[in-house]
Structure formats: structure tokens, C-alpha cells
Amino acid sequence: MRATLQALRANRGKTALTFASLLFAVVSIFLITAVAKGVVGMYSQILQNDGDIIVTQADISDTFFSQVDRGLMERYRRVEGVRSVSAMIVGASPVGKLPIAAIYGVSSNRYGRYDLLRGSYPQKGEALLGSALFERLGQPEVVNVAGKSFGVSGVFESGIGFEKGGVVLPLEDAGAIFHKEASMLLVKTALHTDRNALVKRLRGISKKVEVKTTENFIDSYNQFKIIETSSWVISSVAFGMGILSIVSIMSIGVNERRSEFGIMRALGIPMRRILAMLMFEALAVTVSAYLAGVLLSLGALFVMKHAAFLQGYVSGEITSGLALYVFAATAAMGVLGAILPAMQAAKTDPLLLIQGNKT
Amino acid sequence: MIRARNLNHFYGKEQVLFDIDLDLEAGKLHVFTGESGSGKSTLLSILSTLLRPGSGELFFDNTPYERLSNLDALRRERIGFVFQFHYLIEYLNLRENILLASDKKEPDMELLSFLGLDGLLDRLPAELSGGQRQRGALVRALANDPDVLFADEPTGNLDSKNSALVFELLEKIASRGTTVVVATHDRELARRSDRVYEVRDGRI
């Protein structure tokens, strides 16, 4: 351990560069993946609250573009196994001084899920503001949404960043802004109901809509797939860039230490012990960079979550699965970076290694 | 102990050793002399297994080089090598350098004392003089009590006082039964050796 630290200190320039490369790679992978998971998680949570079954316009790729006939609500309510049906419009528009904010038009039977901090639920011509948006707008009494003025009826708290930074309007008011009756219907089922059978029954009512259980909807929702795929691609690129920079830095480091390895081999130290020594050094840097990366990422996520200008929209969580995945990726980067140039040195005669450079 | 037959070596297309035949007897002080570039260092490196021979046969205790299954163990347990440059590892102190490839807990204090290195074990190479580093490298080469000690210009970077000390030690080691093989320009050492080989243009 002492020799490892001494070696790392003796090569402090390369050690610092390797540490910095790993740190940036770790933080990039953490943030990209955590934020993507956060986006998907937040929207999934909105859909899952009060909705066991989701009804959207058929053949539409994004709920933002979905239009559903509100008249279906009454027909669904009469179907056996349906406990309640609510409607929702999701959209985005300028709010007050902000160029864009999330707008939720909801039927009054969904109001109960917004925890009021002050005031009351909105009547026609009124808006209920998420706490982050309320603060961001300077605690207004009247708010302008898409060019129309709404009295602020109250403020609500939510654990979901998208809601916290958004506006809740009565369904009719939101419908007037977005020119639709509803983006989706959320169906709550009665206890012990066979949801798949219920989905089939609801599908029979209208061909213009797509009916799915919430789990199926989340699994198959294209926007989530795009976000998740993008995050995988970007974090893979970060991983690849990390590997390349570490391999190149460590190649330079190993080349500069050729005479050291040559002497070790001339003294009869087996190459596997030299490789183990390099791996140990790489792991020491890797683990330190990983731990520093976790702390830095947690700090960055905290700042993003609480930064007023982000309205709470950017949120992420470092789950144990994600932490394990990033640790494995980091360890792979460090070990591959160390082992590839060292393997090359292993094939060379000790004398040629020694003659490589004289310190 | 070490036998070479028809050894040749090349650097790229250039041949640097030609048809070398040698028998190095155990427990003797063998000296290779010759001008710079004559090939004596290359020959020493091949005889000590640090460099694979281009062609020809090399035997260590009658075992052909190709059949030496564990070169690492051979180098660690039976061969010591001292270079013209000390090659101590800069981030390890003298004790750690000496014991780098040894299972011993402490270096040979008698030897350290003879070479004036006692009391310097905790110093880094950068904190030692050039002579102390070179003597440290010699102690490292002897750490595992090798059967053969190879030394390539061991006094090349030393003043006359340090050179005399190293000569004396090499003679002492040889008298104890260790085979000592030295490449040197130094005529004094050649004069005091059991056998001298002159290397000229890659030939003996």
C-alpha cells in the first residue's frame, strides 16, 4: 500500500490527469443517467398517481399531442371494475416572466392529490401554482398563462419536480389554451379487478383511443425509450472517452516507467507481480476518483434540484444499481487503462525496457 | 557454469556479436574488456538472460536457455546484475530498493557496513551521492546471494576511492565461490581477475 502511494506520488502529474479523467467520466455518467432516470421517473409518477389504466389518442407518439374526447369518461365510469376516471391535459407554455413552464389541466376529481400549502383549489379562471414556480415568480397573486390572466387560488407542494415547477388549471381553462378536451384519461380500478381484462373491455368502447395499463404504457412509451436510449448512448460515449484518455495517459506513464519495470524484471520480479502492482495503483486512483465522483455528482444533483432557475424540472437520484453500474464501469476503465500498456511492456526483454529511458 | 556456443546477436540488421564460444567457470572473476561499442555489454546481457540471443546456444548449468522454464526465478535466486547506472527506483528508499526482489526482512548489514551504507537505509536515492547509489545497487544485486554476479561497468561512474572499494568487494565475492562476470574498461580490475576476455568488434 505504501509503495503504491509512493509510486502514485512519484508520478503525480500522470496520477492527477488519470484521476481527473476518471472523475469527469464518473460525474458525466452519473449525471446523465441520474437526470434521465429522474425525468422518466417524475413523469411516470405523475401518470401512476390516480391511474391504473391510461387512455390516450391512438397512434400518437407523445402525450403532449394526444387529444381524447372527454365524453368517454362517463362511458368508462359505467364499466364494471372502474372506480373513478379523471382527465388531464399536459402541456407547456409561457407563464409570467418565464418562457416555459409545465401546465396541467386536471378534472376537479384529481385536485385532492395536490397538497395545499396555502389557499384553495382553483375555480374557473384561477390557477394553483407549484411551490417552486410560486417562489420563482415572486409569490404573485395573478399569473399570466399563455397570454391569459389567472388569479392564484393557492400553492401546492409536490415531491415531483415537474409538478412543483408547474401550474394546475381547471380542465376547461387548460382546454381553451391547448384547444383540446383532454390529453389523457386516467382510470382507477376497483380492488381485485383484472386490469388486463378491463383494458380489453375499455378498448371495445372506442377505436380512436389507445388503452393500456399504466405499467405497459410506461414500458412502451416512446419518449421514455428515447430519453433512456439517449442517456445510455451519451454515457457510453463518456465511458469510451474515459477509457481512451486513461489508456493514453497510462500508456505514457507506463512508457516513462519502462526502466523501472525493466529493473524489476532484471531482478527476477515476475511480470504478474508488476501487473498486479500497476492494477493496484490503477484501482487506488479509480476508487478515489469514483468516491470523489459520487460526492461531486450528489452535490451537483442537489444544486440542480434546488436551483430556482431550473424550477425543479431537473432532478435525479443515484440509486444503488446506478452506483454499482458506474463503479463497475470506472473499475473497468482504470484496469483496462493500466493493463493494456503493461501487457505490451511484458513482451519486451528487460534490457530493452531498461534502455528505454534513464532517469 | 555458463557455456555459450556459436552465439550471434543482431540489432535490426546489424550484427553485433559473432560466433561467441565461452565457458565461464564457477567461483572465478571473469572480466570482459573492450572499447565502447565492441559488444561486451550486449554479451553480458545475453549471458545474464536479460536479452534473448539472436542465434546460437547458451547453457546455464548445462541447461539450454530455451529450456530454462522460469527465467524470473533464475534471475531472482541465482543471478545478480549491476549496471553502469544505478537504476535504483526513485520512489523507494534504499532498504526497499535492496529488498525489492528478496524475501529477506533486512539487508546484509555486514555488507552495508563494508560499503559504508549503514545508516542510509531510509534515504531515497535522490538523497544519496552517486557513489552511494552505485554501491546500493551492488548490495541489491547481492541481496539473494546469487551464484553469478554480472556487473556492466560497475565503476564507470565512480571516483577512484569508490572504484577500489567495489573492486575489493568483487574479489571478495569471487573468493567466496560466487562467479563474477564484469565488463569494464578498467585495466586494474582486468589485471586482478582470474580470466580476461577481450571483445573486439563483436568477437572474442
Side-chain angles (χ1 to χ4, degrees):
Chain A
M1 187 64 190
R2 186 167 163 263
T4 301
L5 291 176
Q6 284 169 315
L8 292 174
R9 205 171 53 188
N11 299 285
R12 59 178 75 84
K14 303 289 175 304
T15 304
L17 276 174
T18 310
F19 179 86
S21 303
L22 279 164
L23 182 66
F24 282 122
V26 168
V27 173
S28 308
I29 296 172
F30 264 135
L31 291 187
I32 292 160
T33 315
V35 169
K37 276 183 186 294
V39 169
V40 171
M42 281 193 288
Y43 198 45
S44 301
Q45 235 179 308
I46 292 173
L47 298 177
Q48 278 166 330
N49 285 331
D50 275 351
D52 301 320
I53 292 171
I54 291 183
V55 182
T56 56
Q57 184 181 341
D59 305 322
I60 201 88
S61 63
D62 192 325
T63 49
F64 272 71
F65 306 120
S66 171
Q67 282 200 58
V68 178
D69 176 7
R70 229 159 41 211
L72 284 171
M73 291 171 75
E74 197 45 49
R75 294 171 71 184
Y76 286 166
R77 276 190 194 112
R78 290 199 291 266
V79 176
E80 192 189 342
V82 172
R83 201 170 85 195
S84 65
V85 184
S86 58
M88 190 172 175
I89 291 174
V90 281
S93 87
V95 175
K97 62 184 180 185
L98 302 176
I100 196 150
I103 312 291
Y104 305 97
V106 298
S107 52
S108 54
N109 60 350
R110 269 181 72 81
Y111 285 166
R113 60 177 300 277
Y114 300 107
D115 291 335
L116 282 176
L117 285 178
R118 67 165 77 168
S120 57
Y121 293 117
Q123 303 293 320
K124 189 169 169 49
E126 288 181 331
L128 179 67
L129 300 189
S131 58
L133 184 66
F134 182 67
E135 294 302 326
R136 180 93 169 110
L137 294 175
Q139 306 188 352
E141 289 181 3
V142 176
V143 68
N144 191 293
V145 180
K148 292 180 183 173
S149 285
F150 291 84
V152 176
S153 68
V155 180
F156 71 94
E157 188 53 88
S158 171
I160 303 169
F162 282 164
E163 289 188 334
K164 211 171 169 176
V167 184
V168 174
L169 297 177
L171 193 63
E172 293 73 16
D173 287 338
I177 292 171
F178 296 108
H179 309 291
K180 60 174 80 172
E181 292 192 4
S183 300
M184 65 186 92
L185 304 181
L186 304 167
V187 178
K188 190 90 183 159
T189 59
L191 269 180
H192 311 302
T193 301
D194 180 345
R195 286 183 192 166
N196 291 323
L198 182 58
V199 163
K200 279 183 190 165
R201 286 201 293 278
L202 296 180
R203 276 180 188 156
I205 293 175
S206 171
K207 298 276 181 220
K208 291 180 182 172
V209 294
E210 196 155 28
V211 184
K212 285 181 176 171
T213 61
T214 309
E215 291 78 22
N216 279 349
F217 180 84
I218 289 166
D219 287 346
S220 62
Y221 188 37
N222 276 338
Q223 299 304 320
F224 291 168
K225 284 182 186 169
I226 290 166
I227 291 167
E228 280 167 349
T229 308
S230 305
S231 88
W232 275 104
V233 168
I234 297 168
S235 50
S236 301
V237 170
F239 176 68
M241 301 266 288
I243 285 219
L244 284 179
S245 60
I246 289 156
V247 169
S248 56
I249 295 165
M250 292 197 97
S251 293
I252 296 167
V254 168
N255 277 329
E256 283 179 359
R257 294 171 68 186
R258 279 166 75 89
S259 69
E260 179 186 328
F261 304 142
I263 278 297
M264 288 181 175
R265 293 196 55 208
L267 291 172
I269 295 175
M271 200 58 212
R272 63 174 182 280
R273 197 176 127 192
I274 298 172
L275 283 176
M277 181 188 89
L278 278 170
M279 301 255 286
F280 201 62
E281 287 177 23
L283 276 175
V285 179
T286 301
V287 170
S288 329
Y290 173 78
L291 293 176
V294 171
L295 292 177
L296 202 61
S297 303
L298 286 173
L301 287 172
F302 180 83
V303 169
M304 282 195 273
K305 196 171 178 180
H306 293 89
F309 73 97
L310 291 173
Q311 298 164 235
Y313 287 174
V314 183
S315 176
E317 191 189 344
I318 297 179
T319 60
S320 53
L322 177 61
L324 205 64
Y325 154 70
V326 177
F327 181 75
T330 317
M333 276 193 274
V335 170
L336 280 177
I339 211 164
L340 294 178
M343 293 289 278
Q344 209 175 353
K347 295 175 193 160
T348 314
D349 280 335
L351 187 75
L352 300 177
L353 286 174
I354 294 165
Q355 287 171 340
N357 64 322
K358 291 185 178 184
T359 54
Chain B
M1 171 135 220
I2 295 174
R3 196 166 79 237
R5 290 289 176 271
N6 203 26
L7 270 190
N8 292 281
H9 195 71
F10 304 81
Y11 286 126
K13 286 182 179 173
E14 189 191 351
Q15 187 164 3
V16 291
L17 291 179
F18 298 83
D19 306 324
I20 303 289
D21 287 334
L22 265 180
D23 285 282
L24 300 178
E25 288 172 57
K28 302 279 185 204
L29 175 56
H30 304 268
V31 170
F32 290 89
T33 61
E35 292 180 2
S36 293
S38 60
K40 58 184 187 304
S41 291
T42 301
L43 180 57
L44 214 64
S45 301
I46 290 174
L47 295 175
S48 61
T49 76
L50 297 187
L51 193 62
R52 267 169 288 213
S55 68
E57 291 177 298
L58 179 67
F59 300 86
F60 199 97
D61 274 348
N62 293 323
T63 307
Y65 178 86
E66 298 75 25
R67 288 178 57 193
L68 292 169
S69 55
N70 191 342
L71 276 180
D72 290 327
L74 181 77
R75 287 180 197 137
R76 193 169 57 247
E77 290 158 13
R78 303 194 60 191
I79 294 175
F81 205 110
V82 187
F83 300 87
Q84 184 175 2
F85 188 73
H86 61 82
Y87 288 120
L88 295 176
I89 292 171
E90 295 297 329
Y91 58 83
L92 300 178
N93 63 29
L94 186 59
R95 177 187 283 104
E96 290 163 335
N97 264 293
I98 290 170
L99 298 175
L100 192 60
S102 175
D103 294 331
K104 292 179 182 169
K105 295 273 180 265
E106 280 297 322
D108 181 340
M109 295 311 288
E110 194 186 330
L111 182 60
L112 282 168
S113 174
F114 177 78
L115 289 172
L117 294 173
D118 43 346
L120 303 177
L121 285 173
D122 293 326
R123 292 200 190 172
L124 292 171
E127 297 164 342
L128 299 171
S129 70
Q132 287 167 337
R133 289 178 207 167
Q134 190 62 8
R135 281 177 274 148
L138 188 54
V139 179
R140 180 176 66 183
L142 294 167
N144 286 336
D145 306 317
D147 296 330
V148 195
L149 176 71
F150 290 91
D152 186 6
E153 301 282 7
T155 59
N157 289 331
L158 297 181
D159 57 28
S160 56
K161 190 179 159 201
N162 276 307
S163 296
L165 202 61
V166 170
F167 283 173
E168 196 182 330
L169 179 67
L170 294 176
E171 282 179 321
K172 208 170 171 179
I173 294 163
S175 69
R176 281 186 198 158
T178 302
T179 308
V180 180
V181 187
V182 186
T184 185
H185 285 105
D186 200 305
R187 291 181 186 282
E188 174 61 15
L189 184 58
R191 195 182 58 74
R192 289 157 67 171
S193 66
D194 295 310
R195 196 152 180 196
V196 182
Y197 307 84
E198 188 171 353
V199 185
R200 190 178 296 163
D201 298 330
R203 290 185 168 84
I204 290 181

